Amino acid sequence: MNNELWSGGQYMTEPETQIKTQTIFKIEEANLPTQFDGMFTPLPNRVEFRKIVTNVLNSLKFLSKISEPKKESKKEMQESTFDRWQKYLQIQENFAVVSDSFWYIVSKHFKRADAPKHSDMSIFDGIEEQLLKRISKNYINLFLTIDNKKDNHLFFKTYFDVLAQSVFYSLFYSFPLSRTKFNDDLKKILLDEFSYLFTGICISNSQMYIKDWNLDLGAGNIFKMELESKLQKQKELESYFPPIELQETQKMARNKRSMVPIKFSPIVEIYLRNNKYATRNYIQGFKMKFTEMEKNEEEVELKFARYLKLADQIKAESDKMKKDNEQRVQKMKFQIKEIKQETVNHHKRLEKRKAEELERGAHEYANYLVSMLNAGITVANLGVSKQK
């Protein structure tokens, strides 16, 4: 197993088959590999593998979700996880898998389609078979380098997405004059191809993965305007909340459930067969039913996410109004209490003054009452009011 990492802008071990004398701009001009003695067939010289690794790492959302709120260890754990995955993707076995997968896609999905109708397709079959043999060997060696159990589990679940992105970015950088062919259909083809090869199951929700891809590929990026258009449309949708309307066909019946055999993934099966492992026959396969994702499920989830966001905003506003109302009630109660206390104190003062005046005599008390009437003061507890 060769675990040599990137050094000085290139890999330490460079295959002898790599030729950098010819510059190709169109995928139609690319020549498929014919020699398979080396560890892998390198990517075109225009591809910077470091940039591909960076794009892939930026798209892996789970790297920022593995370590949830621990004040001191969160940053350390997150950096450690990122560093480990960066190391995995820079191992030469991963470079080998990406390189041969690149040529495998060029052969299977481009060269075959461009070949004349009566061409001998066995040529492509032989090339693809040899590429798959090397891919399987390098993939197993790469997988065995991952000793962290959590990373091992995540690697199996996400590597097909990593590989699909890597091949897509490699195609984009390799053939600048063929970029109009590298569209959403190709992304889905790559995900379908590699999900089946590396897991044994062809995914039906490719858009769930594509939406996280890092499509900011620099100058000449034909996806930039499309992405900005989608973001603008999403902002417009967030300004209102239309009702969720399902298609008639999806209202009437649920999606078909497919029976899928589960044993080895095709890429592992190729490795075991080529290395003639007799024990592979001891493992019994089984079948499992899978229901395909609804075609409009992503749209429904997007709308429900907006509804949830609106509900959170309404709840926040309601909590704010409730708190404000409680403060107003408390303030009003305090003011009422003050008024009541002032009323009680005023009554006490009147009673005290009444007692003092009565002690001085009826004549003095009568003068006091007359002075109050003349001043226009109403004494409610004595039942006396000013006469007009």
Side-chain angles (χ1 to χ4, degrees):
M1 189 183 302
N2 194 337
N3 294 339
E4 297 177 16
L5 300 179
W6 190 280
S7 175
Q10 61 182 359
Y11 279 88
M12 294 183 191
T13 302
E14 189 111 339
E16 296 179 357
T17 56
Q18 183 168 4
I19 301 174
K20 297 187 177 181
T21 58
Q22 185 180 8
T23 301
I24 296 173
F25 295 94
K26 293 182 179 180
I27 196 169
E28 294 83 1
E29 301 171 352
N31 296 318
L32 293 174
T34 56
Q35 300 295 326
F36 301 96
D37 298 331
M39 182 179 178
F40 60 92
T41 301
L43 294 168
N45 59 355
R46 188 178 289 104
V47 179
E48 295 182 28
F49 195 67
R50 280 183 173 178
K51 188 181 293 185
I52 291 175
V53 171
T54 300
N55 288 340
V56 172
L57 288 171
N58 290 337
S59 72
L60 298 180
K61 301 300 182 184
F62 66 84
L63 289 180
S64 59
K65 294 180 180 178
I66 287 179
S67 54
E68 288 295 336
K70 283 188 178 180
K71 292 183 180 179
E72 295 183 356
S73 61
K74 178 180 178 181
K75 184 176 180 181
E76 295 177 0
M77 289 179 64
Q78 186 169 332
E79 289 177 350
S80 175
T81 303
F82 184 89
D83 291 341
R84 289 200 307 272
W85 276 82
Q86 188 177 42
K87 179 181 177 181
Y88 302 151
L89 298 186
Q90 288 181 339
I91 290 176
Q92 192 173 11
E93 277 75 10
N94 179 56
F95 182 59
V97 172
V98 172
S99 299
D100 280 344
S101 297
F102 170 90
W103 292 113
Y104 174 77
I105 293 297
V106 171
S107 173
K108 184 174 182 180
H109 295 284
F110 289 96
K111 289 298 183 179
R112 278 181 181 268
D114 295 337
K117 290 184 178 180
H118 302 290
S119 299
D120 184 7
M121 293 298 173
S122 62
I123 297 175
F124 299 109
D125 294 335
I127 292 173
E128 291 161 15
E129 182 181 356
Q130 292 297 324
L131 289 170
L132 287 174
K133 285 182 182 179
R134 293 196 306 196
I135 290 172
S136 65
K137 180 180 178 180
N138 289 315
Y139 170 72
I140 296 299
N141 290 337
L142 172 62
F143 190 77
L144 293 176
T145 62
I146 303 173
D147 52 2
N148 186 289
K149 291 183 178 180
K150 292 182 179 179
D151 291 348
N152 198 293
H153 181 63
L154 280 170
F155 188 87
F156 177 76
K157 293 199 307 180
T158 60
Y159 188 69
F160 70 89
D161 180 35
V162 170
L163 186 55
Q165 289 189 60
S166 301
V167 171
F168 183 82
Y169 300 147
S170 299
L171 289 168
F172 183 89
Y173 291 126
S174 298
F175 309 113
L177 297 184
S178 298
R179 288 176 179 175
T180 54
K181 296 183 178 182
F182 309 147
N183 49 27
D184 287 340
D185 291 336
L186 177 60
K187 299 172 197 173
K188 186 178 185 306
I189 288 172
L190 293 175
L191 282 169
D192 291 345
E193 184 74 43
F194 294 128
S195 64
Y196 176 72
L197 276 175
F198 288 86
T199 67
I201 300 173
C202 185
I203 61 172
S204 60
N205 57 337
S206 56
Q207 288 300 321
M208 296 294 291
Y209 294 89
I210 293 174
K211 67 182 179 64
D212 292 330
W213 286 19
N214 181 19
L215 299 177
D216 185 10
L217 303 181
N221 183 6
I222 62 174
F223 308 105
K224 191 173 183 180
M225 293 181 62
E226 180 183 350
L227 183 60
E228 290 176 352
S229 177
K230 287 182 179 180
L231 292 174
Q232 182 63 29
K233 184 178 180 181
Q234 183 174 351
K235 289 181 180 179
E236 292 176 359
L237 287 173
E238 289 178 353
S239 62
Y240 64 94
F241 298 90
I244 299 175
E245 298 179 359
L246 302 179
Q247 299 178 5
E248 289 296 329
T249 55
Q250 293 167 338
K251 288 182 180 179
M252 298 299 295
R254 61 181 297 181
N255 278 3
K256 180 182 177 181
R257 299 188 70 189
S258 304
M259 186 71 74
V260 179
I262 304 295
K263 190 176 181 181
F264 301 117
S265 65
I267 204 71
V268 174
E269 180 70 30
I270 292 171
Y271 177 80
L272 296 175
R273 185 173 63 248
N274 290 330
N275 289 274
K276 298 180 180 180
Y277 283 96
T279 54
R280 68 190 178 94
N281 296 321
Y282 297 161
I283 299 177
Q284 298 295 323
F286 61 94
K287 293 183 178 181
M288 182 179 293
K289 282 188 175 182
F290 287 86
T291 304
E292 291 186 2
M293 184 178 182
E294 296 285 349
K295 293 181 179 180
N296 65 339
E297 185 171 340
E298 294 175 12
E299 180 184 357
V300 172
E301 289 181 356
L302 179 61
K303 289 182 179 179
F304 271 115
R306 293 199 298 270
Y307 291 149
L308 183 61
K309 182 179 179 181
L310 177 63
D312 291 339
Q313 292 175 351
I314 293 174
K315 186 177 183 300
E317 187 65 24
S318 175
D319 291 341
K320 182 180 178 181
M321 293 175 65
K322 181 180 178 182
K323 184 177 180 180
D324 185 63
N325 183 61
E326 289 176 351
Q327 291 177 348
R328 290 174 181 272
V329 169
Q330 291 297 328
K331 184 177 180 180
M332 188 180 296
K333 286 182 178 179
F334 181 76
Q335 290 176 345
I336 291 173
K337 184 177 180 181
E338 283 187 333
I339 293 172
K340 285 184 176 180
Q341 186 62 42
E342 181 61 28
T343 303
V344 171
N345 293 338
H346 183 65
H347 288 174
K348 288 181 179 179
R349 286 195 296 271
L350 289 177
E351 290 295 332
K352 182 178 179 181
R353 185 64 182 272
K354 176 182 175 182
E356 291 175 352
E357 295 298 335
L358 287 174
E359 287 180 359
R360 294 180 183 178
H363 182 70
E364 291 294 333
Y365 184 62
N367 291 337
Y368 170 67
L369 292 179
V370 171
S371 64
M372 289 180 63
L373 290 173
N374 291 335
I377 298 175
T378 302
V379 186
N381 63 322
L382 296 178
V384 180
S385 61
K386 182 178 179 181
Q387 302 294 327
K388 294 185 179 179

